[in-house]
C-alpha cells in the first residue's frame, strides 16, 4: 500500500510541476530559442517556473524511492496517470477545453493502468 501511495504522490508532483511550468510560460514572455543570459534570468525570476523546478526535483527524489521499492515494470505504467491529471488540472486551473475524444482517452488510460495494477504485485 505504501508503494502505491508513493507512486501516486510522485504522479501528483509531476503533474503539479507541469502546470506550474505552464503558468510560468504564460506569465513571462520567454523566447527559448534565444538561449542567453537574459532568457535564463527571466526564467529564474519567475516564481511559477522556479516552483515547477522544485516540484520536479521533489518528484525525481520520490521516483528514486519508488524504484528502490517496486519493480519498474509495475511502477512505470502508473506514470501514464499523469496525463489525465495534467489534463484535468489544465481544465480546472488554466481554463483549457477538454474534448470528448480526450475524455475517452482519459478513460482508456485509467482502465489500462487499472489492468496493470490488478492484482497487486
Amino acid at each position: 500500500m505504501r508503494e502505491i501511495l508513493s507512486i501516486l504522490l510522485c504522479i501528483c508532483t509531476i503533474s503539479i510541476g507541469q502546470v506550474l511550468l505552464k503558468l510560468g510560460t504564460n506569465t513571462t514572455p520567454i523566447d527559448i530559442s534565444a538561449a542567453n543570459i537574459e532568457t535564463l534570468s527571466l526564467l529564474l525570476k519567475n516564481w511559477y517556473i522556479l516552483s515547477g523546478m522544485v516540484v520536479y526535483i521533489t518528484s525525481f527524489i520520490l521516483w528514486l524511492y519508488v524504484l528502490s521499492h517496486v519493480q519498474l515494470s509495475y511502477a512505470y505504467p502508473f506514470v501514464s496517470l499523469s496525463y489525465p491529471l495534467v489534463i484535468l488540472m489544465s481544465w480546472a486551473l488554466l481554463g483549457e477545453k477538454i474534448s470528448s475524444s480526450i475524455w475517452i482517452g482519459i478513460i482508456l488510460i485509467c482502465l489500462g493502468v487499472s489492468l496493470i495494477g490488478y492484482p497487486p504485485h
Side-chain angles (χ1 to χ4, degrees):
M1 184 64 164
R2 177 182 288 177
E3 290 83 10
I4 293 290
L5 291 176
S6 298
I7 293 169
L8 294 175
L9 182 59
C10 189
I11 291 164
C12 288
T13 57
I14 289 169
S15 301
I16 291 167
Q18 282 293 328
V19 172
L20 287 169
L21 292 174
K22 177 61 176 168
L23 285 167
T25 60
N26 284 352
T27 59
T28 301
I30 299 169
D31 182 12
I32 296 298
S33 65
N36 55 34
I37 298 297
E38 184 180 337
T39 302
L40 182 59
S41 176
L42 281 173
L43 291 172
L44 295 176
K45 291 178 183 175
N46 187 296
W47 185 88
Y48 291 117
I49 290 176
L50 283 176
S51 299
M53 291 168 55
V54 168
V55 171
Y56 254 47
I57 292 168
T58 303
S59 71
F60 173 74
I61 293 167
L62 286 169
W63 188 244
L64 291 177
Y65 172 81
V66 167
L67 292 178
S68 69
H69 290 85
V70 180
Q71 291 180 1
L72 180 60
S73 61
Y74 177 72
Y76 195 68
F78 282 91
V79 174
S80 64
L81 290 175
S82 66
Y83 302 136
L85 187 54
V86 167
I87 291 168
L88 293 172
M89 291 171 70
S90 297
W91 169 73
L93 301 172
L94 303 172
E96 295 182 3
K97 298 195 183 320
I98 302 176
S99 68
S100 58
S101 61
I102 292 175
W103 280 114
I104 292 169
I106 288 172
I107 292 167
L108 291 173
I109 289 170
C110 293
L111 286 172
V113 172
S114 297
L115 290 173
I116 292 168
Y118 183 82
H121 296 280

